[in-house]
Structures are given as C-alpha cells and as structure tokens.
Amino acid sequence: MGSSRLWLLALAVMLSLPARAQSLSERLDFSMYGRVGVGWAPTSGEFIQGKTFNLTGRSVGGRLEEGDYLELTMKFHLLKPAADAGPDAPYAYAVLTPAMWADNGLFIGLTSNRFSSTLATELGEAYVAAGNIVVPGLRFWGGVRFYRGTNVYLADYWYFNNLSSQGVGVGYGPLELAVLLQTSASLSEYVVDVDGDGKPDRRRQRTVVVGQYVKNFEAKHSLHLLAEFHRLPETTLSGSNNTAVQPADQGAVLGAKFHMDMGNGSFNDTSVRFGSRIANGSLGGVPTWNTYGLAAPNGRFSGAYGVEVVNHMLYNINPLVSVNAYGTLHAGRGASGAEADRYVEYAVGAQSTLYLHDQFHLVNEASFQGFRQGQQKYATVTKLSLVPTLVPTGKRDVWARPHLRLFYTLAIHNQAAVDRLISPYLQSVGDSRVGHYLGARVEWWL
C-alpha cells in the first residue's frame, strides 16, 4: 500500500473515533518559529542575505544578519490526561518538527528563489515522550529531538547542554539520563577511507551517555549539573588481520550552570563547561561532539580539550527600558601538539530596548568579538545596530512577538580580520574594514 493511502487510512480512522473520544483539535498542539526578510549591502549591491559579520561564521556575536528560517512543531497527544486528572496521571505524546531555510539562493520564497534546488528541508524532531508510566514521576522519550536547555537569544546560541540528537532518555524528578548517537557525512572522525581509494566507505558512530541534575532553590534560583561520556569505536581494514585505520577513543564533559531569578522577568545565568579528548567541541558554540583539531600521531585525542564559559542576563529596569546582555568565551586545542592547533574566541554583546510606545520599540545593539588560532594576530569586529521595531501585540516585553523590524548594522573589522577574509560578509563583499548591512525582517513565534 502506498504512503499516501496509509495517510488517508490513518486520517479516516481518526475521524471515525467515537464521540466520547477526544477530538483531533483537543489532542493536537501547534507551535511555530519563523523569520523572513531582506538585506542589502548599501555600498556594493552584493547579495548578502545571511552573510554574517561574525568571525566564526556562526551567530555568536549577533544574529541580525541571519537568513530566512521556518520551523513548525506539531505535538499530538497520544494519551492526554483529563482536565481534572491529578499530576500522576499517565500521559504520552508524539512531536514532529520539520524545518526549512534557503540553502544556496536568494530568499526562502517560491517566487524569489529556485525553490526545489535551493530550499533546504530537514526533520528537526520526531520523537515520542511518555510519563507516569509504571512509576509516578518517571519520564521516558525516544527518537530525535531538540534536547537542550536555554539559549542566548541575541546570539541564537544554545549553550551549555545543546544535546539535540537521536537517542533515548529517562528521567525522574530532577535527574535525567540519556544515550545519544552521532555520526556525520563529512567530519573525519566519523567517515573513514579503509581501502585507500580516497573515498569514504565506512562510517563510525559516536555513543554519548549524558547525565543531568537540576537542584532548585528558594526564590526560583537553580543549579544545573552536566556530565557526558563519549565513545568512538575502532575502525579496521577489511581482510587485513584487523589492522586499525582509526583507533578507539573517548572523551568526557563536566559542566555547571547557575540560574539566578531577579524577579520581574529579570535573570542572570552563568555556565562553565569543560570537555576532554574527542568531546572538546566548543569553537563558535558547537556541541561537544564536534571534535576540534588534529589527532596525535597515534590517532587519538589525548590532551585535547575545549572550554565554554557563558554569562547571559536580562534586566527589566523599568517600564521604559530593558537590557539584555551576554559574554562568551571558547578556548581549546587539538592533540597534535602543533602551535596552530589551538584557538581562543570570545564575544560580548548588549541590546537595549526602549519602549517608546506600546507598539513601537527602539532596539539598539552593540557587540565586540575576537578570534585567533595558534599565534595569529587576533581578528576582531565591532558591530553597532539600530533596530526600530513594530510590535502589534503592544506588550512591553523583549519576548513579545511578532516583530516587524528595520535594521542597520555598521561593522568595523580590524586589519587581521580583513587580511584573512574571516567572516562570510568579507568573503562576499571583499577586503573592506567597514561593512554595512541594511535589512528588514519579520520574526514570530507561537
């Protein structure tokens, strides 16, 4: 039976449920995130949609230059407790989250792009979760999911425990355990050429065991502890007496994050995370399984490490002003011992929101970044942005959406950044120390 017929059959079964059963509208929750806009380089006319000034090419340092993106989440309650059920009532639900963005064209829309050849679509989530099964308070999940905590919105940066992956997990009270699997079509630690023809023909799979514990204190403060163990298996040549091509290796991660609730929606979060050996990913805010650097001569990552330090705060000063700010530090090295096989990267940024009118907010943003590998001179960039924003809901809140924005960003690179054409913007526009980005964007979530 074709897949379309299966979908029609499933729909017919749901529609034929007896009247006493919950309706589809009662069992389906829907949420969405989206940003769509346009961008210009006023001095050159080059296509710069999504071409960030940031030194690592990621959003740490500010996200205003990001490209179009849409994400739709559907949550179907397979077992939904009745409205008068207690907290120990069993529940189960399935989540599906497709996402799409412009991959190599102008914009995300059909009329502004080549659509099928430029629109990228991926499945961000497809998992089932259940709770209060067998034992009240016991939670389970399995599938692929955005398994992560909070983010620095200004930098579109999911930090500390960005464990989004495929796997299974169990939780009870403040404790969570998960087993996650990772592989890749490109990273050398996963894809192996075992017959010497220059083409990858065997893929390794990384297993990550994760434990997390959250201790809640009075006044809504909390301490979040994180531990990870990573393992990659040995890869051998076929039919060669098990001659190793890549040896087995492992890594470990420890981290802690403290959340301080300052009332009135204000908070301060501080986190520190250290990853060793193959779990040393941190450059630009990547997950710990994105191993950095070169292996030692024996093929292992002994001595490699990666450090992440983040501070993120929001202070709602009064009904007229809010300030959101962050600071990040990433540092690490590979295992080769080479001077060039190490890095330091940092960013600080702040955004003020002036509530000039319930439906008109004047947003101002500034950031400074630095990055170097080995003994290179530090590449730096300073960004200043002015973002007049319409807010139809009339809420005086930095999280109020939708936003209809105009924005202008002035970026000033130092000569080391220009010489290396280090940012996507410089790679597109050329070796100019001063960059301009003029844009308009809508952003929403529900």
Side-chain angles (χ1 to χ4, degrees), residues 89 211 221 314 396:
H221 306 324
L314 171 64
R396 297 191 174 213

Side-chain angles (χ1 to χ4, degrees), residues 32-36 63-64 66 151-156 312 314 322 324 351-353 355 358-359 361 363 365 387 389-405 441-446:
M32 174 185 284
Y33 170 79
R35 60 174 184 265
V36 180
R63 66 183 298 175
L64 287 173
E66 285 184 324
N151 74 331
V152 177
Y153 168 79
L154 296 183
D156 197 10
H312 180 216
L314 171 64
S322 294
N324 192 190
Q351 182 187 85
S352 66
T353 301
Y355 304 110
D358 287 348
Q359 295 177 318
H361 302 171
V363 178
E365 187 171 320
V387 193
T389 303
L390 295 177
V391 185
T393 61
K395 295 181 179 178
R396 297 191 174 213
D397 189 331
V398 296
W399 311 122
R401 294 298 183 275
H403 272 188
L404 293 84
R405 307 173 184 141
R441 176 166 298 125
V442 295
E443 183 185 52
W444 70 95
W445 55 60
L446 45 89

Side-chain angles (χ1 to χ4, degrees), residues 315-338:
Y315 185 32
N316 294 311
I317 299 173
N318 56 44
L320 296 177
V321 183
S322 294
V323 175
N324 192 190
Y326 67 92
T328 68
L329 170 67
H330 303 107
R333 71 179 188 190
S336 67

Side-chain angles (χ1 to χ4, degrees), residues 198-328:
K199 299 179 181 179
D201 43 28
R202 188 170 297 178
R203 181 175 294 179
R204 294 200 293 179
Q205 179 172 276
R206 180 186 300 229
T207 301
V208 182
V209 180
V210 180
Q212 300 185 79
Y213 181 84
V214 179
K215 172 64 176 177
N216 292 308
F217 301 98
E218 294 183 3
K220 299 181 181 179
H221 306 324
S222 65
L223 176 65
H224 189 155
L225 302 177
L226 169 72
E228 305 173 23
F229 177 75
H230 298 224
R231 177 71 177 175
L232 273 170
E234 180 181 83
T235 302
T236 61
L237 289 171
S238 300
S240 61
N241 297 320
N242 293 326
T243 302
V245 176
Q246 285 187 325
D249 210 344
Q250 60 276 329
V253 176
L254 290 175
K257 174 185 173 185
F258 183 71
H259 171 79
M260 182 170 63
D261 189 310
M262 299 187 293
N264 192 35
S266 302
F267 65 85
N268 188 87
D269 289 340
T270 302
S271 71
V272 179
R273 190 188 71 202
F274 179 86
S276 67
R277 298 181 66 119
I278 65 168
N280 72 341
S282 74
L283 175 60
V286 300
T288 53
W289 46 67
N290 281 30
T291 305
Y292 172 83
L294 302 173
N298 64 4
R300 293 185 170 87
F301 277 80
S302 303
Y305 69 85
V307 176
E308 175 196 79
V309 181
V310 176
N311 192 82
H312 180 216
M313 61 83 67
L314 171 64
Y315 185 32
N316 294 311
I317 299 173
N318 56 44
L320 296 177
V321 183
S322 294
V323 175
N324 192 190
Y326 67 92
T328 68

Side-chain angles (χ1 to χ4, degrees), residues 81 85-91 130-140 170-175:
D88 294 335
Y91 65 86
N132 297 324
I133 308 298
V134 181
V135 176
L138 196 60
R139 309 181 300 275
F140 301 91
V170 60
Y172 184 77
L175 178 65

Side-chain angles (χ1 to χ4, degrees), residues 1-13:
M1 181 181 292
S3 58
S4 60
R5 293 185 180 180
L6 286 174
W7 280 107
L8 289 173
L9 179 59
L11 180 60
V13 170

